[in-house]
Amino acid sequence: LQAAFQTAFDALTLSRNINYSKGEGFALVSLSTAYFYSANLSESLKNGWEALRIFKDLAEKKGIAESYQIICACNSVQGNNEEALKNCMTVLNLRQEIHDSIWLGQSYNSVGGIYSATGKYELAMDFYEKGQKVYVEMGDKAPSWGLSWSYVGKGLVLEKQGDLALEQRNKINSRIKYQDALKEYQKALEIRQKGTYLFLLGECYQRIGNINRKLGNHRLAKIDLDKGLQYAIMARDILAVRNSYKNLSDFEIARKNFKKGYDYLNTYILYRDTLINHESIRKSEGHKIQYEFDKKGDSIKLLIAEKKWTTVLASKEGQRKKYAYVSIGVIVLSGVYTFYRYRRRKKLQNQQSVLNERLRISRELHDEVGATLSGISMYSHLTKEQMKTGQTAEIEKSLNIMQQSSGEMVNKLSDIVWLINPDQDSLQKLVERLEEYARDMAAIKNMQVKITVPDKIAGLSLPVDSRRNIYLFCKEAINNAVKYSGGRLLELAVKEVDGKLEFSVSDNGKGFDAVMVRKGNGLENMQKRAHEVGAKLVVSSKENEGTALSLVCKIT
């Protein structure tokens, strides 16, 4: 990928330096493709739309087709199948028109993939077979990767049909479909083993491993799935890595190895959210809108250029009047446009603020609650298996873990709801909640709690983002002090220093070597909280003299 990026950037720079528009367009397509395989879908779409604009200006059909192809791939990964299908059908029609056999087969495969994703298996199989026919008829001239994609696509359709048959409790038909799918995947593997595309090999091993798991060939499945992940990592193909972790998770859960399955699932979720998130989709739509806007702008410019004003201006007197009217109109329109731009900018800023807040809440719900619910689900399956074998002690242990996890989840949800409540935006409300948390925690170790907040700053209003990060910082500091300090006194103090607020959590415990602690993960989270609000983190600790963690920030 690094070499692909460098080559694309070099080609783009050279083409622009010599004003070679066609070269610029194809360089942008290459750059878009590199971004796609590095999972940066927003940048991939940005470059794809820019390439499309250039090629449409040049009426370069091959370039238009390649631009739409990468745009189709991005939409497909994001689950926007309706838009992806429109893109792919446009590509297919263009390649039929210019008789581009090599890529025509791939267009059939792409359409087949979208129909497969939407559950239209007969249509999907039909298009994959059309793609296969194109490559078979080309003989030795056919690219090996093209034919292998047709086999993989057919295998995927058969596998999904097998899944559907299994849901309908038709085990015999399901097994037949799985065996047929395995044959198609193995044909693809044989072709790809002769090539040099690591990520293509990784996908084949993943799919073969997954089919072997469904057929009950667990030993072979594990070998193939491990190979699939290995090749995907070697190729640095994030899409393939993501799918590998999902397949490994399914394999381990099916084998009752819930701990491993849960770990693989968490890793898969991280990769999945890297590829599909609200911000990426928002940017993707933005690139499309910008493309449509530019296209309309070009049309307007063309119409203006073609307008023959000389037929309208009959005389010099008429010209002067026209110019006067036009001048007045320009002045009025400029005023209206300026006002419109101002109102539109304010509206967009407000919409962006709301969107950012929604995205943040969405991420918190996923990070704080999603993993906990997944864990509870895993342990519930484990408990069922333990009940079958009468493992009383293990059942109690699993239930305790679920009880603890659910309690933690309730607390996390409570924090999220409290932090977005506008009625809780004062410093006093923040301190009151921290005091409640501190006293509950300190009671466990019989520690005394002391809260110090000057009255003159208690009524300060805190921005929601600052309040959230300050709260989480203090909560983590309190938790660490209670768990590890061994002290008898826990103090939370807030004071104003040179126009800034200082939040300090201290104890009179055993202290620690501050230099050594910085090597761990404990302070990294606190440093991150401080950075997000433009604050300074101060750590003060001496052995047997206690510890103080302070956050110094400017509240606007």
Side-chain angles (χ1 to χ4, degrees), residues 453-464:
V453 184
D455 292 338
K456 66 177 183 179
I457 63 172
L460 284 176
S461 180
L462 303 175
V464 62

Side-chain angles (χ1 to χ4, degrees), residues 4-33:
F5 271 116
Q6 189 60 54
T7 302
F9 277 123
D10 290 345
L12 183 61
T13 302
L14 179 60
S15 297
R16 285 175 174 171
N17 286 341
I18 63 175
N19 294 320
Y20 180 38
S21 298
K22 185 175 179 180
E24 181 182 356
F26 282 111
L28 285 168
V29 169
S30 298
L31 191 57
S32 177
T33 304

Side-chain angles (χ1 to χ4, degrees), residues 359-406:
L359 289 172
R360 183 189 64 75
I361 294 170
S362 175
R363 286 193 297 269
E364 284 199 9
L365 287 173
H366 173 267
D367 294 341
E368 301 293 338
V369 180
T372 304
L373 287 174
S374 297
I376 292 173
S377 175
M378 290 289 183
Y379 275 104
S380 67
H381 287 295
L382 181 60
T383 303
K384 287 181 182 179
E385 297 300 320
Q386 292 167 342
M387 290 175 67
K388 292 178 183 178
T389 55
Q391 303 177 46
T392 307
E394 295 300 321
I395 292 172
E396 184 177 359
K397 182 179 177 182
S398 297
L399 290 173
N400 286 336
I401 291 172
M402 286 190 284
Q403 182 181 17
Q404 181 182 354
S405 297
S406 61

Side-chain angles (χ1 to χ4, degrees), residues 104-225:
L104 176 61
Q106 185 59 12
S107 292
Y108 282 124
N109 290 339
S110 297
V111 175
I114 297 168
Y115 279 131
S116 176
T118 54
K120 299 176 180 178
Y121 300 130
E122 291 183 5
L123 279 172
M125 184 63 80
D126 181 52
F127 274 92
Y128 279 128
E129 287 180 346
K130 286 180 179 178
Q132 178 182 335
K133 182 180 179 182
V134 169
Y135 291 123
V136 170
E137 289 177 351
M138 289 179 67
D140 294 337
K141 295 181 180 180
S144 59
W145 50 262
L147 184 57
S148 72
W149 278 120
S150 299
Y151 287 134
V152 167
K154 290 171 64 180
L156 184 57
V157 172
L158 290 164
E159 182 179 351
K160 288 184 175 181
Q161 289 177 327
D163 293 340
L164 186 61
L166 191 62
E167 290 177 8
Q168 297 169 348
R169 301 182 183 277
N170 190 342
K171 293 184 178 180
I172 296 176
N173 188 39
S174 173
R175 189 170 184 85
I176 291 172
K177 291 291 185 181
Y178 287 152
Q179 289 172 339
D180 289 342
L182 182 60
K183 292 175 184 177
E184 298 293 335
Y185 290 149
Q186 286 172 338
K187 290 177 186 176
L189 180 62
E190 289 176 8
I191 294 173
R192 291 179 177 182
Q193 282 176 330
K194 300 174 183 177
T196 58
Y197 300 100
L198 294 178
F199 70 95
L200 296 180
L201 275 176
E203 185 198 27
C204 274
Y205 279 118
Q206 285 177 42
R207 298 201 181 283
I208 290 173
N210 212 31
I211 283 291
N212 275 321
R213 174 182 68 81
K214 293 177 180 181
L215 288 170
N217 304 326
H218 298 298
R219 185 182 64 82
L220 291 175
K222 187 64 169 67
I223 292 172
D224 290 325
L225 289 174

